């Protein structure tokens, strides 16, 4: 029995994790819809050259925020399959920025999978930039990366912009790569509020009130035209309504007595 329950809970957990995979073209946060499908391609970011005497070092990134990376035929340095963001650190014996150095003799010293594998995401909406258009900064945290047995992740902030720009690497700290990306795709569209109308309970109450009004209205009209009744005599079933408070009182007395003694009727003296 316990094995079955454990298997069931494990299945629910796996399904819950699987459901975290997101559709890049249909992201909805706070009733604002974003379509990042225009960014569904490999973005190559060539980093600045850092002087690491007596050599030179450059950190490059391959990024696709929507799907695993695909590589060019001549791409030698590659992350593992399923990677969304790959960091490649290359070391040069000579300055690669120098136009005289046609062959700076480089070697790759690090290839890091920043995000990918069993990818999960955490999506949030930043400060609203324009109350009219309801544009905001869309932040996505992509998990699933790994390097030297340590988990890696990327925090990408998409900023609404009139122009599509190259992703900007802000920094890499505590196993998290921070990226800011100005793009038209971050200019979300507000989803109109649906007119939900009245709830079910409200409709039920209104129906009851309508039935009661019809009952008294039709009954009063009948008594007036048939019996020429006036005043309180217009009420239908007048004798019942006169006794109604006493019936309610007797019912509650019976209910209290039943709770105390466990049976109906009167308790033994």
């Amino acid at each position: 029995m316990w094995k079955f329950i454990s298997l069931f809970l494990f299945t629910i957990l796996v399904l819950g994790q699987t459901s975290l995979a997101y559709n890049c073209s249909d992201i909805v946060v706070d009733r604002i819809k974003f379509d990042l499908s225009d960014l569904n391609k490999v973005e190559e970011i060539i980093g600045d050259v850092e002087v690491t005497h007596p050599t030179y070092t450059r950190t490059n990134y391959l990024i696709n925020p929507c799907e695993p990376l695909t590589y060019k035929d001549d791409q030698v340095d590659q992350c593992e399959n399923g990677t969304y963001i790959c960091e490649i650190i290359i070391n040069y014996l000579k300055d690669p920025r120098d136009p005289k150095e046609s062959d700076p003799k480089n070697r790759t010293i690090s290839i890091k999978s920043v995000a990918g594998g069993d990818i999960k995401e955490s999506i949030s909406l930043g400060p609203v930039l324009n109350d009219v258009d309801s544009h905001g900064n869309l932040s996505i945290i992509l998990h699933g990366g790994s390097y030297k047995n340590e988990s890696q992740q990327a925090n990408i902030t998409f900023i609404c912009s009139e122009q599509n720009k190259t992703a900007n690497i802000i920094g890499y700290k505590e196993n998290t790569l921070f990226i800011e990306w100005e793009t038209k795709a971050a200019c979300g569209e507000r989803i109109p509020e649906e007119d939900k109308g009245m709830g079910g309970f409200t409709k039920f109450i209104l129906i009851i009130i309508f039935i009661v009004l019809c009952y008294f209205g039709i009954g009063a009209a009948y008594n007036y035209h048939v019996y020429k009744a006036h005043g309180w005599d217009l009420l239908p079933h007048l004798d019942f309504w006169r006794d109604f408070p006493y019936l309610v009182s007797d019912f509650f007395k019976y209910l209290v007595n039943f709770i105390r003694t466990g049976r109906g009727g009167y308790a033994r003296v």
Side-chain angles (χ1 to χ4, degrees):
M1 181 64 179
W2 285 108
K3 291 183 178 180
F4 174 78
I5 295 176
S6 300
L7 179 61
F8 175 76
L9 293 176
F10 176 77
T11 303
I12 295 297
L13 179 61
V14 171
L15 291 176
Q17 290 181 344
T18 303
S19 65
L20 287 173
Y22 70 103
N23 182 356
C24 202
S25 62
D26 186 18
I27 299 175
V28 179
V29 185
D30 294 342
R31 300 197 63 82
I32 298 180
K33 181 178 179 179
F34 298 89
D35 183 359
L36 303 181
S37 57
D38 288 344
L39 304 180
N40 189 3
K41 54 188 177 182
V42 178
E43 178 90 2
E44 185 175 8
I45 301 176
I46 306 299
D48 296 330
V49 174
E50 181 182 358
V51 179
T52 52
H53 188 76
T55 61
Y56 302 83
T57 302
R58 169 178 275 163
T59 302
N60 302 331
Y61 291 94
L62 299 175
I63 301 174
N64 187 338
C66 298
E67 294 181 358
L69 295 171
T70 56
Y71 300 94
K72 300 176 182 178
D73 294 337
D74 58 349
Q75 182 80 41
V76 177
D77 299 324
Q78 300 181 10
C79 280
E80 60 190 43
N81 292 334
T83 298
Y84 281 54
I85 301 177
C86 181
E87 179 194 75
I88 302 173
I89 301 179
I90 303 174
N91 186 255
Y92 300 86
L93 291 178
K94 299 179 181 180
D95 192 346
R97 298 168 297 183
D98 190 344
K100 298 179 182 179
E101 301 294 344
S102 58
D103 183 14
K105 296 183 180 180
N106 64 79
R107 66 185 181 93
T108 302
I109 61 175
S110 172
I111 299 178
K112 181 188 298 184
S113 175
V114 180
D118 296 329
I119 195 163
K120 297 180 290 184
E121 88 293 344
S122 175
I123 302 177
S124 62
L125 186 65
V128 173
L129 301 181
N130 190 317
D131 290 333
V132 178
D133 298 329
S134 299
H135 297 159
N137 296 342
L138 176 66
S139 295
I140 297 180
I141 299 177
L142 299 179
H143 306 269
S146 178
Y147 183 70
K148 293 183 177 179
N149 296 324
E150 291 188 6
S151 298
Q152 309 292 314
Q153 64 181 13
N155 187 330
I156 309 177
T157 300
F158 298 96
I159 302 174
C160 175
S161 175
E162 296 181 356
Q163 297 179 346
N164 292 325
K165 299 183 180 180
T166 303
N168 182 27
I169 304 298
I170 302 301
Y172 205 133
K173 59 182 180 180
E174 297 180 355
N175 296 334
T176 301
L177 174 65
F178 293 90
I179 303 172
E180 286 187 355
W181 203 331
E182 296 186 34
T183 172
K184 295 179 181 178
C187 301
E189 296 181 0
R190 171 71 66 179
I191 300 176
E193 292 282 352
E194 297 180 0
D195 185 9
K196 299 180 180 179
M198 294 180 294
F201 181 75
T202 303
K203 291 180 179 179
F204 173 76
I205 295 299
L206 291 178
I207 291 174
I208 295 298
I209 294 175
F210 176 75
I211 293 174
V212 171
L213 292 177
C214 289
Y215 165 76
F216 283 107
I218 295 174
Y222 178 83
N223 289 339
Y224 176 79
H225 289 287
V226 175
Y227 300 108
K228 306 300 180 182
H230 296 278
W232 289 106
D233 293 333
L234 289 172
L235 293 177
H237 308 101
L238 180 59
D239 292 338
F240 170 79
W241 292 111
R242 284 175 176 171
D243 295 337
F244 184 73
Y246 303 102
L247 294 174
V248 173
S249 177
D250 290 342
F251 171 76
F252 280 104
K253 288 180 181 179
Y254 174 84
L255 184 62
V256 171
N257 186 69
F258 179 81
I259 294 174
R260 289 179 177 177
T261 62
R263 63 178 184 272
Y266 294 97
R268 185 179 299 175
V269 180

